[in-house]
Every structure is written in C-alpha cells, then in structure tokens.
Amino acid sequence: MNVAVLVLDSVTKLPREADGAVVVGGSHGAVYAAHLSAKAGVRAAIHHDAGIGLDEAGVSGLGYAESLGMAMVALATESCRIGDGRDQYERGLVSRVNAPAALCGVTIGMTCRDAVELLKAAHWPHRPPAPKGEDRHLVGDIVCVDSASLLLPEDKDRVVATGSHAALNSGHATAPARPRLIFFNDAGPGIDDGGILGLSVLEEAGVAGVAVAARSARIGDGRSTLQDGTISAFNHTAYRLGARAGRSALALARAVAEKAGRKEREEHREWPSST
C-alpha cells in the first residue's frame, strides 16, 4: 500500500497532503492537537507525550482519537524533543498507544520508525470530528489561548497564557506577536530540555517567556496554564518582571497585567485644562 508519511514540527496547520497520510507531528498529544490531526483527515497520528503531566493531559488526545476510530500514538518525552518532528521520527520511542494503533501492532517501547510502517495499515477514513468549541478566553485582562497559533495582532503588549509547549518552533512562531509576557507548558521538559528551548528565542526578541511545569497544569489548556500552573523555567526578561521557580503563573500574570494597566491609565489620563 502506497501511504504517504509526513514529518512535521507542528500539526497546527497541516497541508492537504495530510489527508490519508501517517503524520509524525511535533505537537503534544492532548485533545486540541488530536482534533487538528483528525480534522485534517490523517490516517494515523504520532504526537509527543509532553511529559504526560497533570491529568495525563499530554496523552488525552489518544482517547479522543479512538472515539473517532483514528489510530494515534504518543512518543516519550525522555526519547525525543517536542516540536521537532525529525527528531521524533529518528529517536522517538512509543510511550502510549490507543486501540486502533494497537490493532496495527504498535506497542509501547517501539521506535517511531517502526510504528510509522505499521500505521500505514490503519483503518481509514475515520469519522470526522465535531466542531470544537472556543479556544480563546479572557480572564480579567489576561488572554488565554489553547494554542499559541491562536495569537492575534491585538495581543501585542498583553499578558498571554497558552496551552502550547515552549519548544524552539513555539519561540520562533510567537516572538513576532510581541506579547508583554507569555506563558507555556514545559512539556516535561524532556530530553535536551526540548520543551523550553524556545524561551531563549523569545529572550533574543525581548519577549518575556515563562514555562509552567507539566505536572502542575494541563497542556493544551491555556486557562489551566494560567490558573493551575507553577513556574518551572523562564528567560531573563521574564525574571526582571518577577518570574521565579515555584511561583504561581496566576500571581505573576496578575502582577504584570495590573502594572501595565496602571501605566496605560496614567498615560491616557485627562488632565483638567488650565483656566
């Protein structure tokens, strides 16, 4: 059977060629990313387990995919870098498998390369997913997005909490948006500190970047990053804003947002005209 294999750093914008293909995507294995793979019609998806984390959010997409009849596999954060599809393909080891993938013969501990070959036989097409609900929310003055790909131009200079990991590709993708402060999940952070490598990219762009521990917040859930997250890593720009290991993301976000709000009000204050 001639089945295409795509190796990509992210599944946020899958090409048309993903329809019917086996996709090795650098994204986490939570529901949001699984939905994107299913929506694109992939035959089978191989994602990263993102350290599994709170409520096993990093692999929660496997059950979601199974409900659609789509084979899905997660790779261990100790074996390959999140956000790096090529590294996952070359070094990744399977940590979780859903039932449709198991029917293809994929087992825990198997290499990603071997899993790809077996998943070419996965049942396809599967049921299309139902439309997904709102993935962008405001908590006070703080923007919460389930994926950093949902950032908008108006998020410039705002405090943003994302459900994304902080790998290199996340850093490159979010730096141009120039938020005042942005939060991610550290995804483990895994081998080579893959889940937080993007913080240095943000530092070079002068953007304050923070990661919260995967065990403290659900990856793929921006509101959980904000409300549940405990800071585990940060860049120098974020340190100057008050980021410290062990501090709650919510406390830092509120402090920075309130300070920015006061400054903005002072700059726009209307002084009484002299008579």
Side-chain angles (χ1 to χ4, degrees):
M1 187 178 352
N2 186 18
V3 175
V5 176
L6 298 183
V7 178
L8 305 164
D9 291 342
S10 173
V11 300
T12 54
K13 294 180 181 179
L14 288 170
R16 283 181 293 179
E17 293 78 16
D19 192 16
V22 176
V23 172
V24 180
S27 298
H28 56 69
V31 171
Y32 182 83
H35 172 82
L36 295 177
S37 286
K39 184 179 178 181
V42 308
R43 179 181 300 270
I46 300 179
H47 291 205
H48 195 280
D49 75 9
I52 299 179
L54 182 67
D55 299 332
E56 298 203 334
V59 292
S60 58
L62 274 69
Y64 171 85
E66 185 172 321
S67 72
L68 301 173
M70 185 179 85
M72 186 170 176
V73 170
L75 302 174
T77 192
E78 299 87 1
S79 68
C80 55
R81 293 186 298 271
I82 195 167
D84 187 337
R86 178 54 55 182
D87 190 61
Q88 291 179 206
Y89 181 75
E90 293 177 350
R91 292 199 293 174
L93 299 175
V94 174
S95 62
R96 296 291 180 94
V97 179
N98 71 3
L103 285 174
C104 296
V106 182
T107 58
I108 292 173
M110 178 176 286
T111 67
C112 179
R113 287 175 179 269
D114 288 343
V116 164
E117 294 305 312
L118 292 173
L119 290 172
K120 290 179 179 179
H123 174 75
W124 183 82
H126 51 73
R127 291 188 299 281
K132 202 173 182 304
E134 182 61 49
D135 304 306
R136 182 182 172 89
H137 309 271
L138 269 179
V139 179
D141 294 330
I142 302 163
V143 178
C144 295
V145 290
D146 291 345
S147 170
S149 65
L150 299 171
L151 285 171
L152 300 174
E154 52 263 41
D155 294 327
K156 183 177 183 293
D157 290 329
R158 302 189 75 174
V159 177
V160 180
T162 82
S164 296
H165 55 73
L168 278 176
N169 63 333
S170 290
H172 287 297
T174 57
R178 301 198 64 79
R180 184 178 303 272
L181 170 64
I182 186 165
F183 293 87
F184 300 89
N185 190 292
D186 74 5
I191 196 168
D192 303 332
D193 280 339
I196 57 173
L197 291 176
L199 298 180
S200 61
V201 176
L202 293 170
E203 176 66 24
E204 292 173 4
V207 175
V210 172
V212 302
R215 63 181 180 277
S216 71
R218 293 183 296 276
I219 197 166
D221 184 340
R223 285 178 292 183
S224 182
T225 298
L226 175 68
Q227 297 168 340
D228 305 321
T230 299
I231 296 172
S232 61
F234 45 86
N235 61 21
H236 293 299
T237 303
Y239 179 85
R240 290 194 291 271
L241 292 180
R244 300 291 187 275
R247 186 178 185 184
S248 79
L250 184 59
L252 176 61
R254 281 177 170 168
V256 173
E258 288 171 4
K259 184 176 180 180
R262 286 196 303 271
K263 182 178 179 181
E264 185 175 351
R265 287 191 295 272
E266 290 171 359
E267 290 174 350
H268 291 83
R269 181 181 298 159
E270 292 184 6
W271 294 99
S273 59
S274 59
T275 58

